[in-house]
């Protein structure tokens, strides 16, 4: 029994990581669809509104960098406070389109999974 | 000791920088802003030593943070993936340094192999540079492998390990020029250019050197202009290209200068009543054998030219690497670039006020205490 529980916990850990990996990009793009924001703002918003993701602070910046490289985001430096220059990110047209498609895919996925799980429950 | 909270963050960033590619200035600034804001949030509006330490710890191990940023590369030979970026930087530096010395030696008519007693060896500059690359790779691999084998960690996250201190060699080379350094270039360039154009100075030199003095004055003026551009706009491709071209001009000038004799003919001396000109040849100075005065002056002249060539070759190579790096980032020719860390010329007058030393460590204003002796086990 103990061994089964350990296996299940290990599996959930692996599965959560995989889910979070994909969901984090969607969450960041969704946040930036609402408003432009800089790294720390995004980190804080994710912590408040997407606590499930439980992203380590250092992992958000590489994600932003990758999304920018893929042209889904663009950035601009703001030097209003010279001690704390801020790199503001915003969605590009490609990013908006990607967000729309990601949202649709996510909806289909979650609907189908819910139906599948409801079916499993009823049996 | 870690010092002020800001200093702690800077030290942590230096550790992250060690593992990042050389074109990561933006990433470091972004992380710095994050750490300051996080430390201020944790310190309820005020960055304290304790909140800075916590913010750093939350951000994670510098090696992992850097690898997350740069992407975990591939293992190269005996080098673990996380050490590939520092190794690339060290090899680049060694190669650039070697190339600068080889070309400098070549221009002053000196073969490095002759100096070490190897003569009639069929080496030329390209072959020696290839050899330099190979040797640099071997050195870097041996040193990194050796140091990583003996590496232990027990210091706070803001303190560099022994390995990181080595891996960080040459980091400063790739930092943008500081604004005060640029200002110094403007002032010194203008000053020396004007000095070279003054008649009381020009009469000290040989007649055939005067044309070159004009060229040197022009190059110094352009150097001052370059300093001004760096002062105004920080580091960008136009400024770096100007630095490289100017370095090239100095090297070309040196190719002419090396074929000249020692140019200073006279010096000023005060005879008790007034300043008079004295010819160097008339000075009663005895030069120890086996050299005569002319040979010593020729040697000094060759050393001077060699130093100018090496420093300018270094400048050309580093500027070229940086231009390549910025072009890879799709940056154009001109933009408002950055300056390096502010090195205020009077910073030695400033004192850290937010910390107080105690016998066995440092007490900070927020009650955090850092011990001097940290168990290294």
């Amino acid at each position: 029994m103990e061994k089964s529980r350990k296996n299940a916990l290990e599996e959930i850990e692996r599965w959560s990581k995989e889910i979070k990996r994909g969901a984090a990009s969607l969450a960041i793009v969704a946040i930036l669809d609402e408003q432009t924001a800089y790294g720390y703002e995004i980190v804080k918003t994710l912590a408040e509104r997407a606590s499930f993701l439980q992203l380590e602070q250092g992992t958000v910046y590489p994600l932003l960098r990758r999304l920018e490289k893929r042209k889904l985001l663009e950035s601009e430096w703001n030097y209003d406070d010279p001690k704390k220059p801020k790199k503001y990110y915003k969605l590009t047209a490609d990013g908006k389109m990607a967000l729309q498609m990601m949202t649709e895919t996510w909806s289909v996925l979650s609907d189908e999974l819910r139906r599948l799980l409801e079916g499993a429950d009823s049996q | 000791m870690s010092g002020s909270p800001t200093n702690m963050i800077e030290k942590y960033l230096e550790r992250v920088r060690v593992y990042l590619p050389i074109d990561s200035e933006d990433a470091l600034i972004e992380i710095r802003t994050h750490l300051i804001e996080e430390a201020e949030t944790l310190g309820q509006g005020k960055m304290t030593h304790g909140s800075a330490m916590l913010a750093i710890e939350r951000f994670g191990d510098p090696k992992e943070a850097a690898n997350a940023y740069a992407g975990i590369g591939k293992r190269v030979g005996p080098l673990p993936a996380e050490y590939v970026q520092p190794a690339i930087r060290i090899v680049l530096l060694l190669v650039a340094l070697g190339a600068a010395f080889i070309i400098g030696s070549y221009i002053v008519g000196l073969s490095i192999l002759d100096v070490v007693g190897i003569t009639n060896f069929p080496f030329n500059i390209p072959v020696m540079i290839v050899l330099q690359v190979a040797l640099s790779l071997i050195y870097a691999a041996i040193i990194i492998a050796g140091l990583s084998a003996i590496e232990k960690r027990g210091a706070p996250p803001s303190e560099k390990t022994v390995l990181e201190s080595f891996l960080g060699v040459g980091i400063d080379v790739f930092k943008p020029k500081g604004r005060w350094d640029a200002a110094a270039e403007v002032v010194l360039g203008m000053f020396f250019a004007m000095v070279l154009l003054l008649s009381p100075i020009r009469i000290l030199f040989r007649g055939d050197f005067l044309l070159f003095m004009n060229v040197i004055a022009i190059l110094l003026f352009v150097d001052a202009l370059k300093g001004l551009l760096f002062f105004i706009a920080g580091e960008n491709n136009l400024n770096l290209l100007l630095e490289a071209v100017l370095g090239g001009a100095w090297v070309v000038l040196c190719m002419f200068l090396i074929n000249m004799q020692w140019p200073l003919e006279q010096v000023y001396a005060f005879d008790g009543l007034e300043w008079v000109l004295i010819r160097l040849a008339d000075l009663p100075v005895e030069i120890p054998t086996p050299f005569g005065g002319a040979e010593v002056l020729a040697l000094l002249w060759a050393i001077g030219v060699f130093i100018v060539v090496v420093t300018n070759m270094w400048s050309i190579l580093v500027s070229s690497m940086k231009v390549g790096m910025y072009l890879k980032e799709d940056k154009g020719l001109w933009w408002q670039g950055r300056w390096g860390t502010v090195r205020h010329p009077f910073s030695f007058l400033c004192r850290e006020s937010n910390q107080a030393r105690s016998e066995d460590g440092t007490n900070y204003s927020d009650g955090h205490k850092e011990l001097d002796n940290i168990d290294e086990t």
Side-chain angles (χ1 to χ4, degrees):
Chain A
M1 185 69 185
E2 191 59 32
K3 197 178 172 191
S4 302
R5 186 176 159 71
K6 196 180 163 194
N7 277 346
L9 283 172
E10 278 177 6
E11 186 53 36
I12 190 91
E13 198 177 316
R14 265 197 295 269
W15 176 78
S16 293
K17 268 186 192 167
E18 283 165 16
I19 292 280
K20 282 174 191 174
R21 198 171 295 149
S25 305
L26 176 56
I28 288 174
V29 174
I31 287 169
L32 291 172
D33 189 44
E34 292 174 11
Q35 57 174 52
T36 61
Y38 65 97
Y40 189 69
E41 277 181 328
I42 298 168
V43 170
K44 287 287 133 187
T45 310
L46 281 171
E48 284 164 17
R49 294 172 55 190
S51 58
F52 161 75
L53 292 173
Q54 288 178 322
L55 288 175
E56 293 213 3
Q57 295 191 345
T59 59
V60 175
Y61 292 94
L63 265 175
L64 287 167
R65 194 177 132 106
R66 262 170 246 152
L67 291 170
E68 191 182 9
K69 266 193 172 176
R70 291 181 206 148
K71 312 275 183 202
L72 299 185
L73 306 182
E74 58 189 10
S75 65
E76 197 178 346
W77 281 96
N78 178 312
Y79 295 96
D80 287 351
D81 181 351
K83 284 184 182 169
K84 293 185 286 183
K86 296 180 177 84
K87 192 178 187 183
Y88 277 88
Y89 293 90
K90 69 174 181 183
L91 272 189
T92 59
D94 286 3
K96 284 183 188 294
M97 198 177 287
L99 171 63
Q100 197 183 337
M101 291 160 91
M102 284 158 90
T103 311
E104 282 165 15
T105 307
W106 189 266
S107 299
V108 172
L109 181 75
S110 58
D111 284 348
E112 286 182 355
L113 273 175
R114 194 181 305 117
R115 277 199 294 275
L116 199 66
L117 294 171
E118 280 167 3
D121 272 351
S122 63
Q123 281 179 3
Chain B
M1 276 283 73
S2 295
S4 67
T6 311
N7 198 19
M8 279 175 61
I9 289 174
E10 290 305 323
K11 285 184 171 182
Y12 173 79
L13 291 172
E14 283 302 303
R15 291 191 62 201
V16 177
R17 189 194 289 273
V18 166
Y19 301 101
L20 284 174
I22 52 176
D23 53 341
S24 302
E25 206 56 34
D26 278 12
L28 287 161
I29 292 169
E30 205 173 21
I31 299 173
R32 180 187 290 116
T33 300
H34 174 99
L35 292 173
I36 294 172
E37 297 224 319
E38 178 74 348
E40 284 173 350
T41 306
L42 292 168
Q44 290 165 347
K46 191 183 167 208
M47 186 162 61
T48 64
H49 186 267
S51 69
M53 179 68 89
L54 195 54
I56 287 169
E57 282 173 357
R58 281 191 180 180
F59 205 79
D61 177 71
K63 199 191 298 174
E64 284 166 19
N67 281 330
Y69 248 95
I72 297 170
K74 287 179 184 168
R75 187 185 175 91
V76 176
L79 276 184
E82 61 267 34
Y83 296 127
V84 169
Q85 290 298 340
I88 289 172
R89 188 181 54 243
I90 291 169
V91 169
L92 277 176
L93 285 171
L94 289 174
V95 170
L97 202 58
F101 269 90
I102 290 166
I103 294 168
S105 310
Y106 180 78
I107 286 176
V108 296
L110 184 73
S111 161
I112 287 178
L113 291 168
D114 285 347
V115 174
V116 295
I118 304 169
T119 51
N120 302 322
F121 204 65
F123 272 98
N124 55 27
I125 286 180
V127 173
M128 286 196 65
I129 290 175
V130 170
L131 187 67
Q132 177 76 29
V133 173
L135 285 174
S136 304
L137 279 167
I138 294 167
Y139 293 152
I142 290 171
I143 296 169
I144 292 171
L147 285 176
S148 60
I150 57 167
E151 187 70 297
K152 283 182 184 173
R153 187 71 202 154
S158 57
E159 298 294 333
K160 273 185 186 170
T161 62
V162 179
L163 177 61
E164 285 165 357
S165 301
F166 167 75
L167 295 177
V169 168
I171 274 178
D172 285 345
V173 172
F174 294 103
K175 287 181 183 171
K177 197 193 295 280
R179 212 172 184 192
W180 282 102
D181 295 338
E185 278 183 6
V186 178
V187 174
L188 294 176
M190 294 292 285
F191 175 76
F192 283 112
M194 285 191 284
V195 165
L196 288 182
L197 294 176
L198 293 172
S199 349
I201 299 295
R202 292 171 75 84
I203 56 169
L204 301 177
F205 292 89
R206 295 157 51 94
D208 58 352
F209 186 64
L210 293 181
L211 172 67
F212 292 105
M213 279 183 84
N214 294 339
V215 177
I216 292 171
I218 290 169
L219 290 181
L220 286 170
F221 273 126
V222 180
D223 217 14
L225 174 70
K226 180 201 75 183
L228 185 65
L229 289 174
F230 270 101
F231 185 80
I232 294 168
E235 189 170 276
N236 61 34
N237 275 347
L238 183 74
N239 296 351
L240 288 168
L241 280 173
L242 181 59
E243 187 157 67
V245 170
L246 194 59
W250 279 106
V251 173
V252 171
L253 176 68
C254 284
M255 290 166 135
F256 290 96
L257 293 182
I258 196 62
N259 294 311
M260 291 196 67
Q261 292 177 26
W262 174 261
L264 190 68
E265 246 183 347
Q266 308 182 88
V267 288
Y268 283 102
F270 193 66
D271 67 357
L273 292 171
E274 59 178 347
W275 288 96
V276 290
L277 284 171
I278 297 179
R279 284 171 54 80
L280 281 183
D282 299 337
L283 281 177
V285 179
E286 284 195 20
I287 308 288
T289 53
F291 301 111
E295 284 82 358
V296 171
L297 290 179
L299 183 64
L300 286 176
W301 182 240
I303 291 172
V305 171
F306 177 73
I307 291 170
V308 174
V309 174
V310 170
T311 50
N312 280 286
M313 277 310 301
W314 177 250
S315 173
I316 293 168
L317 292 166
V318 172
S319 299
S320 311
M321 281 189 241
K322 285 184 173 181
V323 169
M325 179 179 101
Y326 286 129
L327 286 176
K328 210 176 86 184
E329 287 177 23
D330 289 336
K331 293 198 171 170
L333 198 61
W334 178 266
W335 66 90
Q336 180 59 55
R338 292 208 180 81
W339 299 280
T341 315
V342 178
R343 281 191 297 157
H344 197 284
F346 306 111
S347 57
F348 63 92
L349 295 173
C350 304
R351 294 172 65 184
E352 303 277 9
S353 59
N354 61 343
Q355 64 183 69
R357 301 278 306 153
S358 68
E359 279 183 10
D360 55 349
T362 306
N363 292 316
Y364 291 87
S365 55
D366 59 340
H368 185 94
K369 184 173 181 177
E370 188 178 296
L371 297 175
D372 282 344
N373 302 316
I374 291 165
D375 187 7
E376 288 288 337
T377 54

